[in-house]
Amino acid sequence: MSRKFFVGGNWKMNGTKKVADELLSNLVKGPLDPNVEVLIGVPAIYLDFVKEKAPCNIYVAAQNCYKTEKGAFTGEISPSMLKDIGIDWVILGHSERRQIFQETDTLIAEKVNHALESGLSVVACIGETLEEREAGQTEAVVAKQIKAIKEKICNWQNVVIAYEPVWAIGTGKTASPQQAQDVHKILRKWLCDEVSETVAKTTRIIYGGSVTSSNCRELAKECDIDGFLVGGASLKPEFVEIINANQ
Ligand SMILES: O=C[C@H](O)COP(=O)(O)O
């Protein structure tokens, strides 16, 4: 069962309308490998603007959403609001949400469940800190994070898992292809043992953490790395090269 390569660019809290236009024209110019699914994670305020302009081969994603449809949750946006403006994807559980905004495994799992039930597809992020890796806890940490999600959802069809070691995000310290492959393999085995063999074989597990045009090809060669979630480099012209890492 083959898994289509998936590359997301997470703009985080960056950009203006002008920058969004430039990034979109870079993607339109491409050319992009047609065998890759491409997503851009856009700040909430620009979602409508970008969705109107993005070509249909680029998924536009929110970077967060809340776990209920509506109500007194000042500052939050709901999956149904995203659907209302034509957005079909959301990134949830990013380490910046976990660390800076104190989002717990449980809250993230609830958000993933509600987003899926509302008809969104989800990039669900997990990953260990440097301290956890050095303490030999990587496997336990990612298993705990993915288990929390498993306990809340019943369908993995619209889920992409992003393994993003916190120590590699925005630091320039990419995981080596072997380090990333080791964790992706553990995650796939976990899915096989705890969910099903089919889910293990079909779910994309993408890597994030200082991916650039210089290291993407080596990472892409690993059999359990099904793509990337790219931060800083998604704001540069080299994002096209990362999308085309398999060519
Ligand atoms: O969502 C993307 C990750 O946080 C990776 O960011 P980065 O490529 O800037 O390290």
Side-chain angles (χ1 to χ4, degrees):
M1 237 172 285
S2 70
R3 297 179 295 272
K4 196 166 182 186
F5 208 69
F6 186 104
V7 178
N10 180 7
W11 293 0
K12 308 193 179 183
M13 197 177 73
N14 292 295
T16 56
K17 287 194 212 176
K18 184 168 173 287
V19 169
D21 274 334
E22 287 164 6
L23 295 172
L24 283 172
S25 36
N26 187 47
L27 289 171
V28 169
K29 191 169 74 178
L32 308 182
D33 182 341
N35 298 312
V36 180
E37 286 183 51
V38 179
L39 169 147
I40 45 177
V42 175
I45 197 164
Y46 298 129
L47 281 169
D48 203 21
F49 177 82
V50 171
K51 180 66 189 170
E52 286 292 314
K53 298 187 168 208
C56 58
N57 61 334
I58 309 268
Y59 304 143
V60 179
Q63 299 172 6
N64 186 27
C65 65
Y66 199 50
K67 62 174 180 174
T68 54
E69 185 192 346
K70 60 183 176 180
F73 303 104
T74 303
E76 293 293 319
I77 54 173
S78 72
S80 65
M81 291 170 176
L82 294 172
K83 292 292 286 181
D84 193 35
I85 62 162
I87 301 296
D88 293 320
W89 282 84
V90 64
I91 299 169
L92 290 170
H94 191 279
S95 72
E96 286 144 20
R97 299 299 317 172
R98 292 174 184 268
Q99 302 214 311
I100 303 169
F101 301 101
Q102 315 284 304
E103 292 194 7
T104 62
D105 287 344
T106 306
L107 174 62
I108 291 158
E110 287 169 348
K111 288 181 175 196
V112 171
N113 177 48
H114 182 61
L116 292 172
E117 283 187 340
S118 306
L120 292 177
S121 296
V122 174
V123 177
C125 306
I126 57 176
E128 83 288 2
T129 63
L130 182 59
E131 201 180 16
E132 289 163 341
R133 172 162 283 259
E134 287 176 347
Q137 295 168 346
T138 300
E139 185 168 346
V141 169
V142 295
K144 179 170 161 286
Q145 292 168 331
I146 198 169
K147 181 167 182 277
I149 294 170
K150 183 221 155 186
E151 282 171 357
K152 298 280 180 202
I153 72 170
C154 45
N155 190 345
W156 289 78
Q157 211 174 342
N158 296 321
V159 178
V160 171
I161 296 167
Y163 167 60
E164 301 203 299
V166 179
W167 48 271
I169 295 177
T171 58
K173 287 185 200 159
T174 328
S176 68
Q178 192 58 54
Q179 282 174 317
Q181 166 61 24
D182 288 347
V183 180
H184 285 226
K185 190 174 169 192
I186 286 167
L187 288 167
R188 205 171 302 286
K189 181 170 185 316
W190 190 94
L191 286 172
C192 187
D193 295 345
E194 305 295 330
V195 187
S196 75
E197 193 180 349
T198 305
V199 167
K201 282 186 176 159
T202 53
T203 302
R204 271 83 60 91
I205 306 176
I206 63 175
Y207 167 79
S210 296
V211 176
T212 65
S213 55
S214 322
N215 57 32
C216 62
R217 278 180 194 78
E218 288 305 308
L219 286 159
K221 283 182 192 157
E222 298 294 337
C223 62
D224 287 301
I225 298 182
D226 304 316
F228 306 116
L229 187 57
V230 184
S234 73
L235 300 165
K236 299 178 187 166
E238 70 179 285
F239 187 48
V240 168
E241 286 174 67
I242 299 172
I243 292 167
N244 296 338
N246 275 326
Q247 283 186 328

